[in-house]
Amino acid sequence: MTALPPPPPLDLESEFQPIPLTHLFAHAAGDFEIYLRHGDTHTLFAHSGEAVTRDRRRLLAEYGVSLVYIHREERERYRGYMRRHLGGALLSPDMATEHKAAVFYHNCCDIVRDLLRTRLPQGVSDRHGRLFGAYVRDCVNFLATEAGLARIGMLMSHDYDVYSHGVHVFVYTLFLLKSLGLPKPALIQAGVGALLHDSGKEAVDASILRKPGRLMPEEFLAIREHPVLGVRYCRPLSLSRLARECILMHHEKMDGRGYPGGRSGEAVPLHARAVSLADVYDALTSRRVYADAVRPFEALSIMRHEMAGSFDLELYKRFVMLLSGAALL
């Protein structure tokens, strides 16, 4: 297993926010300023648009510098930088596997932390932030091979929003399955499956994924193929059966109207039912190219009434209780 360092602390009250030095890619200049910290002061190290070359990073590393700083007002620019370049970095032969794993891990932690802070009840977020961080570490460790990191890099490069949606689904899936008392190994494999559940969308043309209007029949057929393609693309990763089922069956419905197999009821495994529920909830509560985000209550109402028969009703009820802050974990 790769020894993953803990993510740098995020203090939203601080004027400067730390980022790992390995997050500055030598081939890509950021549109934000980079600072070094000396005690309580911060000194400008690189201007916006100025690349931090390998030689400059090597010099910093020789002096024991592993963290650099950005102004909190430029945090969204930094996130945009990661969106544009992280996928390519994970596919680069010039970056060591352990560095790829670390940057992937920190990026996942950033997305998870933001979701916990903005979309889950405050009490839940406070109690379980570290717990979800540990789950991220374990899942990333499972994927910290060249094949695993390449799979993530390909998905990021094709459509970063599909990848970040996978991280959200990972959180909601484990949020739900943890409350049912599943053992840790099963939770980790469900998390891996949730993270990779949309891997097959790499085969779907980006113009379809980002189309703002209604899909044509042939475009929808292309979308429907992604669960099967996802399992095919993930074969080099030697996933467990549990993880593969999350990828293959996350569009199956309890009433048999789903795809690709038209399974129903108990023929859809519990973990796949959880991913299905998390997938739809996150899609509804996130801004998409074809629809604005809806409020959590409205999303749950749509799922209960307009999508009746799609979900395991007991899982749905438990999910509602968890989102309301019920202490089921």
Side-chain angles (χ1 to χ4, degrees):
M1 276 194 177
T2 302
L4 296 170
L10 176 61
D11 181 358
L12 295 177
E13 301 302 320
S14 174
E15 185 179 1
F16 292 91
Q17 300 298 328
I19 61 172
L21 179 60
T22 52
H23 287 209
L24 302 177
F25 307 126
H27 68 282
D31 54 350
F32 47 86
E33 295 184 331
I34 299 163
Y35 295 82
L36 300 181
R37 180 175 178 176
H38 304 280
D40 293 330
T41 64
H42 293 80
T43 304
L44 181 64
F45 176 72
H47 292 280
S48 174
E50 182 181 356
V52 180
T53 63
R54 288 188 179 86
D55 288 341
R56 297 183 77 189
R57 286 195 300 167
R58 189 179 301 114
L59 180 63
L60 290 178
E62 288 175 358
Y63 281 93
V65 175
S66 60
L67 293 176
V68 293
Y69 293 80
I70 60 173
H71 198 280
R72 66 180 180 185
E73 292 181 355
E74 295 192 312
R75 182 167 165 76
E76 288 307 313
R77 291 188 178 186
Y78 165 69
R79 285 184 166 181
Y81 173 82
M82 296 302 288
R83 287 175 63 95
R84 294 190 298 274
H85 300 295
L86 180 54
L90 295 185
L91 295 170
S92 172
D94 299 326
M95 192 173 188
T97 300
E98 60 268 25
H99 289 163
K100 292 179 182 179
V103 74
F104 169 39
Y105 168 60
H106 285 299
N107 180 258
C108 272
C109 285
D110 188 46
I111 295 171
V112 169
R113 190 162 41 188
D114 188 59
L115 183 138
L116 291 175
R117 182 175 57 85
T118 59
R119 297 207 199 176
L120 292 180
Q122 188 62 49
V124 171
S125 177
D126 291 343
R127 289 197 307 273
H128 300 288
R130 290 185 181 179
L131 176 66
F132 279 103
Y135 289 149
V136 172
R137 184 188 62 242
D138 290 340
C139 287
V140 170
N141 264 324
F142 185 84
L143 295 170
T145 64
E146 279 301 315
L149 294 167
R151 167 80 351 250
I152 294 293
M154 291 292 286
L155 188 60
M156 285 182 182
S157 296
H158 186 65
D159 194 307
Y160 187 91
D161 289 337
V162 171
Y163 153 72
S164 60
H165 164 68
V167 180
H168 289 182
V169 172
F170 160 88
V171 172
Y172 290 128
T173 298
L174 293 192
F175 189 43
L176 182 53
L177 293 179
K178 172 66 176 175
S179 77
L180 295 171
L182 265 68
K184 185 176 179 181
L187 287 173
I188 298 307
Q189 289 305 307
V192 169
L195 191 63
L196 296 171
H197 78 280
D198 272 343
S199 290
K201 286 188 175 179
E202 181 193 323
V204 181
D205 193 278
S207 65
I208 297 176
L209 295 177
R210 299 167 191 164
K211 185 175 180 178
R214 182 181 293 274
L215 295 179
M216 300 294 289
E218 62 273 18
E219 294 171 331
F220 184 64
L221 285 175
I223 289 285
R224 283 175 64 100
E225 293 179 357
H226 81 270
V228 173
L229 291 174
V231 173
R232 184 183 304 170
Y233 289 166
C234 290
R235 280 178 185 166
L237 310 188
S238 300
L239 299 182
S240 68
R241 177 178 177 178
L242 191 155
R244 292 197 306 272
E245 288 174 343
C246 290
I247 298 170
L248 181 64
M249 302 185 198
H250 70 276
H251 279 291
E252 301 287 4
K253 301 183 186 303
M254 295 300 288
D255 59 10
R257 293 182 295 112
Y259 61 87
R263 292 170 175 256
S264 62
E266 295 298 320
V268 184
L270 175 66
H271 39 277
R273 283 179 256 158
V275 174
S276 173
L277 194 154
D279 179 31
V280 173
Y281 178 78
D282 185 66
L284 289 171
T285 54
S286 300
R287 189 179 184 281
R288 296 154 288 165
V289 292
Y290 53 87
D292 290 331
V294 303
R295 292 180 177 275
F297 177 82
E298 184 180 352
L300 293 169
S301 179
I302 291 171
M303 293 168 70
R304 180 69 179 93
H305 300 292
E306 297 180 27
M307 305 177 74
S310 296
F311 309 108
D312 180 318
L313 189 54
E314 293 306 312
L315 273 185
Y316 169 84
K317 291 177 180 177
R318 177 169 283 264
F319 191 56
V320 173
M321 292 181 67
L322 289 167
L323 291 174
S324 71
L328 300 181
L329 297 187

